[in-house]
Amino acid sequence: MTSRHAEGHGPMHGASAVDIALTRKFLLDYPREAALKIEAMAVAEAAATLAMQPVYALLSMWRYLLPSVAADILDALPEEHIRPLMAELPPQDTVRMLGQLEESRRMQLLAILNEPVRKEFAERHIPVGRFGEPEELACLAVFLASPIAGYISGSVIPVDGGLRRYTF
């Protein structure tokens, strides 16, 4: 983004979010600006506008949305648009968005992905090749709450099947 765009002289100058209607060219060429426009819209309006866009255009700007805004929009999108979007989103973005939702809605959205898609997603993105089970996290929680873990403090222990990949 150039300073010219920041001053309001770019392709968005003088146009409302609805005027721009977030065309796929705009989404692909200016994903950060598109995300800002989406965040400024009412959730229902943003969801209706985004539902008209192809998945590849949405993916170009989705990572620039605040996770809470993305979650609200995802929650408002019609089901037929959620399935392809969730199947294509990078796993980190999916986890961030779904983490903002209530448990019941999160499970509803995950259920939209049929089993073959879920399995393929897990095999492709999660090193252990599957989604975790609640019991696996519960075991860690019980251990951390026990006297045996009394000397552990201020630690981050990922329970993600290797999904998070560190560069250090």
Side-chain angles (χ1 to χ4, degrees):
M1 183 165 92
T2 67
S3 60
R4 197 168 71 89
H5 290 139
E7 294 166 8
H9 297 291
M12 297 175 15
H13 180 66
S16 72
V18 175
D19 294 332
I20 291 168
L22 298 173
T23 63
R24 52 189 84 127
K25 178 159 178 41
F26 180 75
L27 282 169
L28 293 169
D29 291 349
Y30 302 98
R32 284 191 173 101
E33 291 85 348
L36 290 173
K37 282 291 187 184
I38 284 291
E39 287 180 0
M41 297 168 80
V43 172
E45 182 185 18
T49 303
L50 291 175
M52 295 184 291
Q53 304 304 320
V55 171
Y56 70 86
L58 292 178
L59 294 174
S60 72
M61 55 75 70
W62 206 262
R63 69 179 159 273
Y64 297 108
L65 286 172
L66 292 173
S68 59
V69 172
D72 288 344
I73 293 169
L74 182 69
D75 198 20
L77 278 173
E79 183 175 314
E80 64 269 16
H81 299 291
I82 294 173
R83 182 178 286 113
L85 182 61
M86 286 182 61
E88 294 296 324
L89 272 172
Q92 312 85 287
D93 293 345
T94 305
V95 168
R96 273 197 321 245
M97 265 192 311
L98 293 176
Q100 303 290 320
L101 298 173
E102 296 293 323
E103 169 91 17
S104 60
R105 183 59 177 152
R106 182 179 324 124
M107 297 315 290
Q108 253 183 332
L109 291 177
L110 284 173
I112 287 173
L113 294 175
N114 58 23
E115 192 55 37
V117 173
R118 287 173 52 90
K119 184 175 177 165
E120 192 269 329
F121 176 91
E123 289 172 352
R124 187 172 45 162
H125 295 293
I126 303 172
V128 298
R130 63 180 177 79
F131 286 96
E133 297 296 328
E135 295 79 19
E136 293 170 305
L137 180 59
C139 291
L140 176 63
V142 168
F143 166 72
L144 291 173
S146 73
I148 298 170
Y151 207 69
I152 297 174
S153 65
S155 298
V156 175
I157 304 173
V159 182
D160 59 7
L163 181 65
R164 189 179 308 176
R165 293 176 180 94
Y166 296 100
T167 57
F168 52 89

